């Protein structure tokens, strides 16, 4: 029998623990609960979870400290942030510090689980890096720079392809503006978000069914972009 | 004892000379106060090495003297700052008339004492009568000793109480001889000079008279305070005319005594004539000094300009309804008076029903001595010019001699004299006139080539010529100098006029300050910088032209101006050693800043200071106007937000109730329901209303956040298309029943906005439409832009929103539709934060269009440059 996937929830609200516990099927996941920052750090070290769901507004130790403490001994443990609405700055900071994705409160449990699955898949994928990638209707040949949508080839410029590939590889995960600029254009382009906007527009024209109402490449206002996979 | 917050009380121990026991009496009184529990300390006591005095100081807390090293000598001075810090109930400060060393805040101790009184501290001080400004001159003429240290009469006049320390002169002399006042050889010199019995008697008389006057005045004040009006209440006015000479100060002091005796007020009139405009610096200083002294005596000052001194004086007298004019009495120079009429004669003749009082003058009637204008052109050049003209006339005369008469030739010389007068000073003109007459005599009048004259007719010709050229040249010179005065006055008037015009046009603080500076610079030979008060500190307002930076020391002077609200620096009593003049920019209510003026030549001409003050007055009024406007605008905004807040809060509480009721009810029903379909229905109800509640909470939070003040906008170049796109994606499921159309221009620029806030704005609009226009079948989103704005239109065809855009609509709305009040006000706030606006309008589809205007300034103009690579 396959071992259960261990998820550590660090959150001071008991009802949210309850809700998540009730929502996940118990033969697939094992939930470990921690109610404040210190407990969270200890549990992360002693239980070796496969994923951490972390509330940023915690008593005892703030969420950021939990992130940096975990990142001290593990680069690969996925961390999903729960944060309050309209607090983009702290979201970006958490992602910068090493968190992998975020869900804004209030959230639907279904959405949370979709993110959890995306993170778990991604952490598996890392181990088996392949040239071929299939996301939704898209097929990517990374080495050959070929993108097909429902079998039809879409011509992309090298920059557009790099952008699309980066988002697709991290499907359902948010990628910061900064990260996109650095990975696609190189470290010199730091904060020049305008490039990104222009290229995103071009990219959407080519890959979206309806470019002005995009359904794949989604903007996270003030944070970055996310490739949405239903 | 509790101190009052009012001005402190001043008690002066007044004596006729040193050694009468003023300090002793003061200390005795103070001791009594101390025993009564008053917080009384010694600020400064002149020791003089007198033992009994020293013994008396012992019980008091003493403020240590400030030590100032001046030219290698360590001087002890009263420490004003330390005393103010200590803030006692009463402080003893000896020697009211003392002059402070440079390096102290004030140059006179009486100013220190004013500061103490202003701070609400009571002061006991001592004063010898000879130091009183109005008697100092008298004392020096009596005793032969010049009194340098003077105190304005107003200090004594305004003292709350005085105590006269009076001992008979014989006794004083005895005490002096006994070595009780001075030590050793000083006694001898004192006895020879100041302490002669005659002098002391005179001083004692003055002392007692002054004291009586003071008491008299206090009685009057008391009567007035009881509203017993008598003949003195409408006090009689006198006008004193002074001119620029050493006599002026003496006249002022004399007038002060006369005025005090008659209980009348004095206006000092100084008429500036064209001649006086060319005054030497020394004379200029003399008159300014005298006028300052007059001001200190509490006289008003009237500066007039004109050629006719008498008529100007009389104009002032009539205007002030004065009963009497005082002028200096001419003593010598009778011949000139006989010939030309003295000013006094003229005044007497023309004064009508105003009395003219002539008071004794000095050795010479110098009151209105005409001043020989100083010539600014190099002498050699003008002298050469004068003689060249004379030579030319002679040459011309030689040519014309055979054809014309001598009288005609003399006319040529007169013409020459006029030419000389036009360009040169008086000396040259006189010289040229004399040279002309000599030439005429020598070259043209028989016997030729000699200076003798045979024909008496020619004597008359010569005399006439000399007198005509003399009066002509003096006339021309006068006109010229008058022109100069007019010019400089015009310059001042122009500066004032311009200041008025520019200030009235200025709408910002910066513009006002620049206008003021420009006007002051117009006065010429000046540099000027303006400092403004910000957070109770001085900050640079407008920098000076280039000439001077307000350095640390100078800055301290400016600070004093700010704190004391009086002028300081050059030409004033406070820190006259400073490099510039510092004037307050203030109205009666508030001080707005400090104006620093420095001259390009080394002194500031006293006559332009009133003009600068006038300009600053206007400036202050403008700044006050601006401050009031800003204040009014701010309170208007405050009222608006306040009413909005009330409106929104009342609607929020209502809004919350609906979803809460539904959720609570549905949850209850699930508990008892048996039909799984019913359960499903309740669950979806709970879901829907939870979302609504969550949206409300979100909006309430952002409202609170936006309300707290201007939030820091996280501006970034954003694509509106993208932001709208993701909002549509968010509500994809809710919009399945509608046709969503988007219409964006091809060349839509990026805009610099806060993505999160704009997302909230757009999402709010879409959500509103989803919730309130349930019947709607379309959602049209279009973007357009013109020269000013980028406009986002979001339109539906549902009967959504009441069609008016007044704040009162919110109430209506919130009754009808859940949460729209809060939503709409948040939309408005966000649009406003981005320099735009938010409107709701009814549209052709029968629905509502939300219009979001964003300033085009936020848009990227040449977006193509980003499209490459």
């Amino acid at each position: 029998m396959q071992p259960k996937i261990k998820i550590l929830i660090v959150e001071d609200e008991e009802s949210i623990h309850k809700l998540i516990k009730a929502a996940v099927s118990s033969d697939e996941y094992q939930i470990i609960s921690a109610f404040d920052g210190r407990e969270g750090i200890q549990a992360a070290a002693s239980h070796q979870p496969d994923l951490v769901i972390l509330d940023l507004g915690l008593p005892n130790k703030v969420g950021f400290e939990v992130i940096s403490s975990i990142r001290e001994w593990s680069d690969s443990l996925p961390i999903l942030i729960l944060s309050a609405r309209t607090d983009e700055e702290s979201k970006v900071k958490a992602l910068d510090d090493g968190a992998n994705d975020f869900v804004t409160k209030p959230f639907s449990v279904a959405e949370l689980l979709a993110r959890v699955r995306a993170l778990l898949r991604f952490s598996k994928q890392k181990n088996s890096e392949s040239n071929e990638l299939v996301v939704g209707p898209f097929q990517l040949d990374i080495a050959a720079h070929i993108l097909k949508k429902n079998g039809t080839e879409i011509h992309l410029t090298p920059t557009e392809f790099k952008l699309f590939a980066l988002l697709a590889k991290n499907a359902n995960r948010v990628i910061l503006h900064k990260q996109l600029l650095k990975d696609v254009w190189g470290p010199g382009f730091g904060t020049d978000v305008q490039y990104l906007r222009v290229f995103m527009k071009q990219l959407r024209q080519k890959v979206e069914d309806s470019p002005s109402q995009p359904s794949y490449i989604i903007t996270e206002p003030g944070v970055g972009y996310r490739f949405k996979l239903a | 004892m509790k101190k009052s917050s009012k001005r402190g009380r001043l008690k002066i121990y007044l004596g006729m000379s040193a050694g009468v026991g003023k300090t002793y009496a003061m200390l005795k009184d103070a001791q009594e106060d101390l025993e009564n529990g008053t917080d009384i300390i010694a600020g400064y006591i002149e020791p003089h090495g007198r033992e009994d005095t020293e013994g008396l100081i012992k019980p008091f807390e003493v403020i240590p003297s400030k030590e100032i090293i001046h030219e290698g000598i360590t001087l002890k001075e009263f420490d004003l700052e330390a005393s103010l810090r200590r803030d006692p109930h009463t402080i003893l400060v000896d020697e009211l008339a003392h002059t402070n060393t440079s390096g102290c805040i004030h140059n006179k101790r009486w100013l220190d004492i004013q500061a103490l009184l202003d701070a609400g501290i009571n002061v006991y001080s001592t004063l010898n009568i000879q130091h009183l400004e109005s008697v100092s001159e008298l004392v020096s003429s009596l005793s032969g000793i010049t009194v340098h240290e003077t105190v304005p009469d107003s200090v004594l006049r305004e003292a709350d109480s005085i105590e006269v320390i009076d001992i008979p002169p014989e006794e004083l002399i005895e005490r002096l001889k006994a070595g009780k006042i001075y030590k050793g050889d000083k006694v001898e010199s004192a006895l020879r000079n100041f302490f002669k019995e005659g002098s002391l008697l005179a001083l004692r008389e003055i002392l007692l008279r002054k004291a009586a006057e003071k008491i008299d005045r206090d009685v009057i004040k008391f009567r007035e305070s009881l509203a017993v009006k008598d003949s003195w209440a409408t006090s009689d006015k006198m006008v004193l005319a002074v001119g620029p000479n050493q006599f002026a100060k003496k006249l002022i002091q004399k007038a002060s005594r006369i005025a005090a005796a008659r209980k009348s007020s004095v206006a000092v009139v100084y008429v500036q004539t064209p001649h006086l405009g060319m005054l030497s610096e020394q004379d200029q200083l003399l008159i300014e000094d005298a006028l300052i002294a007059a001001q200190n005596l509490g006289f008003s000052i009237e500066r007039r300009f004109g050629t006719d001194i008498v008529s100007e004086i009389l104009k002032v007298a009539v205007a002030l309804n004065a009963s009497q004019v005082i002028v200096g009495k001419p003593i010598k120079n009778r011949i000139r008076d006989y010939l030309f009429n003295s000013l006094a004669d003229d005044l007497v003749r023309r004064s009508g029903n105003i009395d003219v009082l002539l008071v004794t003058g000095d050795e010479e009637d110098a009151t209105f001595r005409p001043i020989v204008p100083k010539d600014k052109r190099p002498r050699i050049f003008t002298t050469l010019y004068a003689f060249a003209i004379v030579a030319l006339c002679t040459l011309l005369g030689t040519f014309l001699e055979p054809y014309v008469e001598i009288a005609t030739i003399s006319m040529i010389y007169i013409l020459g004299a006029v030419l000389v007068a036009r360009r040169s000073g008086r000396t040259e003109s006189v010289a040229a006139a004399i040279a002309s007459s000599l030439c005429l005599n020598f070259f043209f009048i028989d016997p030729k080539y000699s200076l003798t004259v045979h024909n008496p007719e020619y004597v008359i010709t010569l005399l006439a010529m000399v007198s005509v050229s003399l009066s002509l040249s003096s006339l021309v010179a006068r006109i010229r100098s008058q022109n100069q005065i007019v010019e400089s006055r015009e310059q001042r008037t122009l500066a004032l006029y311009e200041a008025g015009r520019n200030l009235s046009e200025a709408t910002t603080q910066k513009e006002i300050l620049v206008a003021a500076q420009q006007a002051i610079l117009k006065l010429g030979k000046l540099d000027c910088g303006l400092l403004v008060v910000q957070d109770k500190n001085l900050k640079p307002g407008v920098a000076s032209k280039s000439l001077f930076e307000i350095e640390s020391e100078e800055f301290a002077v400016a600070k004093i101006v700010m704190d004391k609200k009086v002028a300081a620096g050059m030409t004033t009593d406070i820190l006259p050693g400073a490099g510039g003049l510092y004037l307050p920019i203030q109205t009666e209510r508030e001080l707005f800043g400090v104006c620093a003026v420095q001259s390009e030549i080394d002194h500031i001409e006293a006559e332009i200071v009133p003009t600068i003050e006038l300009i600053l007055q206007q400036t202050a009024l403008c700044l006050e106007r601006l401050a009031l406007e800003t204040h009014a605008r701010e309170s208007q905004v405050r009222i608006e937000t306040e009413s909005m807040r009330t409106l929104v809060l009342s609607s929020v509480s209502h809004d919350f109730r609906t979803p809460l009721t539904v959720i609570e009810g549905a949850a209850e029903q699930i508990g008892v329901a048996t039909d799984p379909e019913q359960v499903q229905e309740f669950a979806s109800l709970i879901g829907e209303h939870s979302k609504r509640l969550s949206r409300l909470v979100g909006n309430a939070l952002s409202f609170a956040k936006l309300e707290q003040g201007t939030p820091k906008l996280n501006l970034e170049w954003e694509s509106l298309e993208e932001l709208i796109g993701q909002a549509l994606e968010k509500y994809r499921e809710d919009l399945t029943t509608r046709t969503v159309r988007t219409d964006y221009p091809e060349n839509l620029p990026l805009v610099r906005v806060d993505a999160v806030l704009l997302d909230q704005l757009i999402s709010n609009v879409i959500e509103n439409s989803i919730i309130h226009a349930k019947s709607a079948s379309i959602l049209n989103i279009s973007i357009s832009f013109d020269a000013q704005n980028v406009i986002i239109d979001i339109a539906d065809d549902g009967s959504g929103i009441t069609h008016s855009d007044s704040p009162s609509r919110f109430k209506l709305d919130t009754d009808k539709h859940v949460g729209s009040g809060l939503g709409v006000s948040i939309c408005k706030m966000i649009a406003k934060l981005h320099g735009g606006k938010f409107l709701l309008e009814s549209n052709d589809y029968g629905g509502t269009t939300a219009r979001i205007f964003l300033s085009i300034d936020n848009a990227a103009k040449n977006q193509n440059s980003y499209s490459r690579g």
Side-chain angles (χ1 to χ4, degrees):
Chain A
M1 190 181 119
Q2 218 185 345
K4 281 183 187 177
I5 295 163
K6 284 191 271 185
I7 299 177
L8 170 62
I9 304 172
V10 190
E11 157 72 76
D12 55 324
E13 282 289 340
E14 195 162 347
S15 49
I16 290 183
H17 282 265
K18 242 186 216 170
L19 192 66
I20 297 172
K21 255 187 203 167
V24 298
S25 67
S26 52
D27 38 283
E28 203 184 336
Y29 300 108
Q30 181 195 344
I31 304 290
I32 305 153
S33 289
F35 291 91
D36 65 29
R38 197 174 302 139
E39 240 180 83
I41 292 170
Q42 279 166 7
S46 56
H47 290 278
Q48 298 288 323
D50 298 290
L51 184 132
V52 178
I53 298 173
L54 172 67
D55 184 11
L56 270 188
L58 278 177
N60 219 330
K61 278 215 167 161
V62 280
F64 298 117
E65 286 178 57
V66 179
I67 299 170
S68 51
S69 161
I70 289 174
R71 284 290 169 256
E72 271 171 30
W73 51 268
S74 168
D75 287 336
S76 56
L77 174 58
I79 302 173
L80 179 64
I81 298 297
L82 300 180
S83 80
R85 190 181 163 183
T86 69
D87 197 9
E88 267 57 32
E89 254 174 71
S90 58
K91 268 182 214 165
V92 174
K93 184 176 178 335
L95 292 169
D96 258 356
D97 283 358
N100 299 73
D101 201 355
F102 69 88
V103 175
T104 306
K105 279 183 186 175
F107 52 83
S108 84
V109 179
E111 192 186 340
L112 177 76
L113 290 181
R115 296 289 164 77
V116 167
R117 277 194 295 273
L119 283 178
L120 289 172
R121 186 175 53 232
F122 179 73
S123 70
K124 249 187 261 166
Q125 237 170 43
K126 251 190 188 165
N127 306 330
S128 57
E129 186 77 50
S130 88
N131 261 335
E132 289 282 332
L133 186 64
V134 181
V135 250
F138 299 101
Q139 283 171 279
L140 286 91
D141 185 334
I142 311 278
H145 275 213
I146 293 170
L147 170 70
K148 283 182 181 162
K149 184 182 178 186
N150 297 323
T152 331
E153 190 178 329
I154 296 171
H155 177 74
L156 294 181
T157 66
T159 312
E160 285 163 7
F161 188 86
K162 266 201 248 174
L163 206 54
F164 189 79
L166 184 60
L167 288 166
K169 267 194 248 175
N170 293 285
N172 274 350
R173 282 185 55 207
V174 69
I175 314 280
L176 297 178
H177 295 137
K178 211 180 358 182
Q179 189 67 34
L180 282 167
L181 283 164
K182 203 183 100 196
D183 285 5
V184 176
W185 279 274
F189 284 81
T191 54
D192 214 345
V193 184
Q194 295 171 76
Y195 285 86
L196 211 49
R197 302 275 179 238
V198 175
F199 276 91
M200 279 301 174
K201 186 177 174 183
Q202 290 168 14
L203 189 58
R204 279 187 176 128
Q205 301 279 0
K206 292 179 183 178
V207 300
E208 292 282 358
D209 303 330
S210 164
S212 60
Q213 296 170 55
S215 50
Y216 300 112
I217 302 173
I218 303 301
T219 305
E220 289 283 355
V223 180
Y225 290 92
R226 184 196 298 277
F227 190 99
K228 192 182 177 190
L229 206 57
Chain B
M1 221 197 250
K2 189 86 191 90
K3 242 177 56 186
S4 69
S5 58
K6 286 190 299 187
R7 192 178 152 86
R9 294 174 64 81
L10 174 64
K11 181 170 186 178
I12 297 176
Y13 292 83
L14 200 59
M16 63 177 163
S17 81
V20 295
K22 299 180 300 295
T23 309
Y24 184 84
M26 177 171 80
L27 285 167
K28 274 283 183 201
D29 281 2
Q31 207 160 33
E32 218 166 278
D33 288 351
L34 192 67
E35 279 156 15
N36 288 336
T38 309
D39 177 22
I40 186 163
I41 63 165
Y44 189 86
I45 303 293
E46 201 76 49
H48 295 301
R50 295 171 205 159
E51 276 160 27
D52 45 353
T53 312
E54 267 164 26
L56 278 174
I57 300 175
K58 278 201 186 113
F60 291 98
E61 175 190 341
V62 180
I63 297 280
S65 302
K66 197 157 83 173
E67 298 201 341
I68 292 173
I69 298 167
H70 185 69
E71 289 167 5
I73 306 161
T74 310
L75 294 166
K76 289 190 172 178
E77 291 287 0
F78 169 57
D79 192 339
L80 175 62
E81 280 134 320
S83 307
L84 286 171
R85 265 200 305 280
R86 167 64 177 79
D87 193 27
H89 178 274
T90 305
I91 191 166
L92 311 176
V93 185
D94 214 354
E95 293 291 335
L96 187 62
H98 177 76
T99 300
N100 289 337
T101 327
S102 62
C104 294
I105 295 176
H106 303 111
N107 62 345
K108 296 283 186 186
R109 182 168 291 162
W110 64 267
L111 285 167
D112 288 345
I113 286 171
Q114 293 295 330
L116 289 167
L117 295 171
D118 283 343
I121 301 169
N122 300 331
V123 181
Y124 288 179
S125 189
T126 61
L127 179 69
N128 288 332
I129 196 70
Q130 80 257 27
H131 294 301
L132 211 56
E133 189 133 46
S134 63
V135 291
S136 63
E137 200 82 358
L138 186 69
V139 169
S140 26
S141 67
L142 275 171
S143 62
I145 292 170
T146 321
V147 180
H148 290 296
E149 305 189 321
T150 59
V151 173
D153 286 39
S154 59
V155 175
L156 182 66
R157 211 162 36 232
E158 281 154 25
D160 297 281
S161 57
I162 59 168
E163 187 153 333
V164 177
I165 312 301
D166 180 40
I167 58 170
E170 316 86 78
E171 205 173 299
L172 181 64
I173 291 169
E174 247 162 61
R175 287 180 62 178
L176 182 72
K177 281 179 180 161
K180 279 185 179 163
I181 303 171
Y182 295 127
K183 296 241 145 99
D185 51 347
K186 267 182 106 179
V187 175
E188 274 305 304
S189 82
L191 274 173
R192 266 198 311 277
N193 294 316
F194 206 78
F195 286 79
K196 284 183 289 197
E197 199 168 347
S199 312
L200 287 176
L201 275 172
L203 280 170
R204 191 181 184 200
E205 194 196 327
I206 295 170
L207 166 69
L208 295 175
R209 214 170 59 206
K210 278 284 160 194
E213 272 171 24
K214 160 82 181 156
I215 291 159
D216 214 14
R217 251 196 307 273
D218 289 349
V219 169
I220 295 166
K221 232 191 255 167
F222 176 68
R223 277 204 219 155
E224 276 171 0
S225 72
L226 291 179
V228 183
K229 292 232 167 182
D230 55 24
S231 59
W232 298 329
T234 51
S235 96
D236 155 59
K237 277 192 185 117
M238 302 199 296
V239 166
L240 168 69
V242 292
N245 50 41
Q246 71 278 20
F247 190 43
K249 215 170 170 181
K250 215 166 189 174
L251 270 178
I252 285 165
Q253 280 161 352
K254 207 155 204 173
S256 145
R257 284 197 295 275
I258 296 166
R262 299 192 181 194
K263 295 161 190 76
S264 44
S265 64
V266 180
V268 177
V269 55
Y270 164 52
V271 183
Q272 206 169 345
T273 63
H275 288 321
L276 298 181
M278 321 271 296
L279 281 181
S280 74
E281 234 162 75
Q282 206 195 339
D283 288 341
Q284 187 86 258
L285 283 178
L286 267 175
I287 182 68
E288 294 303 338
D289 193 36
L291 290 179
I292 287 168
Q295 224 156 13
N296 286 341
L297 287 168
F299 297 172
S300 64
I301 311 292
E302 299 281 337
R303 286 169 188 269
R304 292 294 151 115
F305 297 89
T307 43
D308 188 346
I309 297 169
V310 172
S311 96
E312 292 299 329
I313 294 171
L314 289 173
K315 264 192 242 166
V316 173
V318 170
L320 295 177
N321 198 16
S323 62
Q324 206 163 63
V325 175
I326 307 176
V327 287
K329 185 159 107 185
I331 291 181
K332 287 196 175 169
N333 231 336
R334 295 204 182 160
I335 300 163
R336 212 189 69 194
D337 287 351
Y338 183 74
L339 283 176
F340 297 108
N341 278 338
S342 78
L343 179 116
D345 285 341
D346 215 4
L347 197 57
V348 169
R349 239 192 311 283
R350 288 160 64 182
S351 55
N353 58 358
I354 298 171
D355 294 344
V356 176
L357 183 65
L358 298 178
V359 293
T360 17
D362 222 342
E363 295 75 37
E364 182 191 356
D365 173 17
T367 320
F368 299 107
R369 172 170 49 101
I371 308 289
V372 177
K374 272 203 325 186
D375 209 318
K376 281 168 188 141
R377 242 185 276 272
R379 291 252 156 201
I380 298 169
F381 174 77
T382 46
T383 314
L384 278 177
Y385 172 78
F387 284 104
I389 294 285
V390 174
L392 206 69
C393 293
T394 313
L395 208 65
L396 199 63
T398 321
F399 275 118
L400 294 176
E401 203 194 352
Y403 316 107
V404 297
E405 305 227 348
I406 299 291
T408 313
I409 294 172
S410 72
M411 283 298 175
I412 291 169
Y413 278 108
I414 289 172
L415 187 70
V418 172
L419 285 177
V420 171
R422 275 187 61 168
R423 294 204 54 179
S424 328
R426 265 174 85 99
T427 329
E428 290 87 340
S429 303
V430 172
I434 292 164
S436 298
S437 70
L438 291 178
C439 286
L440 184 68
N441 186 354
F442 193 77
F443 292 109
F444 303 107
I445 293 173
D446 292 329
K448 280 187 182 173
Y449 311 114
S450 95
L451 289 178
T452 42
V453 180
H454 286 163
N455 191 341
E457 199 182 316
Y458 292 141
V459 177
I460 294 168
T461 310
L462 267 178
L463 277 178
M465 197 193 85
V466 170
S467 59
V468 166
S469 30
L470 271 180
S471 38
L472 263 180
S473 63
S474 105
L475 206 65
V476 171
R478 187 184 291 197
I479 289 168
R480 215 181 45 190
S481 63
Q482 202 159 13
N483 269 348
Q484 274 167 5
I485 286 195
V486 167
E487 248 167 53
S488 73
R489 280 198 67 192
E490 198 168 86
Q491 213 171 25
R492 271 176 264 160
T493 317
L494 204 73
L496 267 179
Y497 167 71
E498 212 160 303
R501 201 188 51 195
N502 292 341
L503 283 172
S504 67
E505 281 169 7
T507 50
T508 64
Q509 189 197 45
K510 185 92 191 170
E511 277 173 29
I512 291 172
L513 294 176
V514 168
Q517 187 199 31
Q518 290 305 323
I520 293 168
L521 291 178
K522 274 264 148 55
L523 295 167
K525 291 185 205 148
L526 283 177
D527 193 8
C528 153
L530 299 169
L531 300 158
V532 287
V533 176
Q534 220 175 63
D535 307 328
K536 293 185 178 156
N537 210 338
L538 281 176
K539 300 274 156 64
V542 190
S544 62
K545 243 190 318 182
S546 68
L547 270 176
F548 71 109
E549 293 284 318
I550 299 169
E551 296 146 13
S552 55
E553 272 174 40
E554 296 288 300
F555 189 74
V557 187
K559 275 289 266 288
I560 287 173
V561 174
M562 179 181 81
D563 295 339
K564 297 201 163 286
K565 299 180 192 269
V566 290
M570 221 180 232
T571 75
T572 68
D573 275 333
I574 304 169
L575 292 173
L581 170 63
Y582 296 82
L583 298 163
I585 305 173
Q586 63 182 353
T587 60
E588 279 166 25
R589 265 176 294 249
E590 201 179 344
L591 182 131
F592 293 94
V594 174
C595 171
V597 184
Q598 201 171 57
S599 177
E600 286 175 10
I601 47 184
D602 55 355
H603 70 280
I604 292 169
E605 289 167 53
E607 59 191 38
I608 66 168
V609 175
T611 315
I612 296 176
E613 280 171 344
L614 265 176
I615 293 173
L616 293 180
Q617 225 167 49
Q618 288 186 35
T619 310
L621 283 173
C622 280
L623 288 171
E624 189 175 60
R625 184 197 68 202
L626 190 73
L628 287 175
E629 274 172 13
T630 316
H631 185 73
R633 212 175 308 130
E634 272 167 10
S635 48
Q636 182 63 34
V637 168
R638 216 172 306 129
I639 290 165
E640 271 173 22
T641 43
E642 203 53 52
S643 67
M644 195 162 166
R645 185 177 300 159
T646 322
L647 215 57
V648 166
L649 283 179
S650 67
S651 80
V652 161
S653 55
H654 176 268
D655 290 356
F656 273 68
R657 249 171 242 137
T658 318
L660 281 173
T661 314
V662 173
I663 292 169
E664 205 181 320
E668 265 172 31
Q669 290 306 308
I670 287 178
V672 294
T674 44
D675 186 357
E677 236 174 70
Q678 249 186 339
V679 172
Q680 195 65 43
E681 203 177 304
F682 286 130
S684 80
L685 260 178
I686 291 177
E688 191 193 322
H689 283 85
S690 303
K691 266 190 200 162
R692 183 174 290 186
L693 199 57
S694 129
R695 190 174 58 93
L696 270 170
V697 171
N699 274 344
L701 277 176
S702 352
F703 181 79
K705 215 166 162 182
L706 291 169
E707 267 288 309
Q708 261 168 21
T710 317
K712 201 181 130 252
L713 291 186
N714 190 7
L715 293 179
E716 193 54 82
W717 291 107
E718 303 286 349
S719 153
L720 287 176
E721 190 178 344
E722 215 173 75
L723 285 171
I724 295 169
Q726 66 88 26
L728 287 174
E729 159 63 23
K730 228 178 349 191
Y731 300 108
R732 186 180 290 273
E733 275 172 37
D734 301 299
L735 290 169
T736 42
T737 53
R738 296 209 203 174
T739 321
V740 178
R741 274 197 300 257
T742 53
D743 178 20
Y744 308 139
E746 195 51 39
N747 54 347
L748 181 67
L750 293 177
V751 286
R752 236 172 110 73
V753 292
D754 186 311
V756 178
L757 288 178
L758 210 72
D759 169 42
Q760 200 178 357
L761 203 177
I762 294 164
S763 300
N764 263 340
V765 173
I766 295 175
E767 254 184 27
N768 254 15
S769 173
I770 290 168
I771 293 169
H772 303 144
K774 286 218 162 72
S775 58
S777 62
I778 58 161
L779 183 68
N780 283 355
I781 303 180
S782 62
I783 305 180
S784 57
F785 61 92
D786 58 25
Q788 283 91 36
N789 295 297
V790 177
I791 306 151
I792 308 168
D793 286 339
I794 302 176
D796 63 32
D797 59 347
S799 56
I801 288 164
T802 334
H803 300 127
S804 102
D805 197 39
S806 65
S808 59
R809 206 201 79 248
F810 289 172
K811 186 85 188 84
L812 263 177
D813 265 0
T814 47
D815 285 336
K816 226 166 149 188
H817 311 294
V818 179
S820 69
L822 198 55
V824 170
S825 42
I826 287 173
C827 289
K828 289 194 170 195
M829 278 191 228
I830 293 173
K832 207 169 170 188
L833 277 174
H834 286 85
K837 56 184 172 180
F838 177 80
L839 300 174
L840 287 173
E841 291 169 0
S842 53
N843 61 26
D844 297 344
Y845 320 115
T848 308
T849 300
R851 308 199 80 188
I852 304 159
F853 290 76
L854 297 171
S855 165
I856 196 90
D857 296 339
N858 293 339
K861 299 242 163 66
N862 55 351
Q863 127 149 73
N864 290 339
S865 59
Y866 296 105
S867 319
R868 69 197 137 78

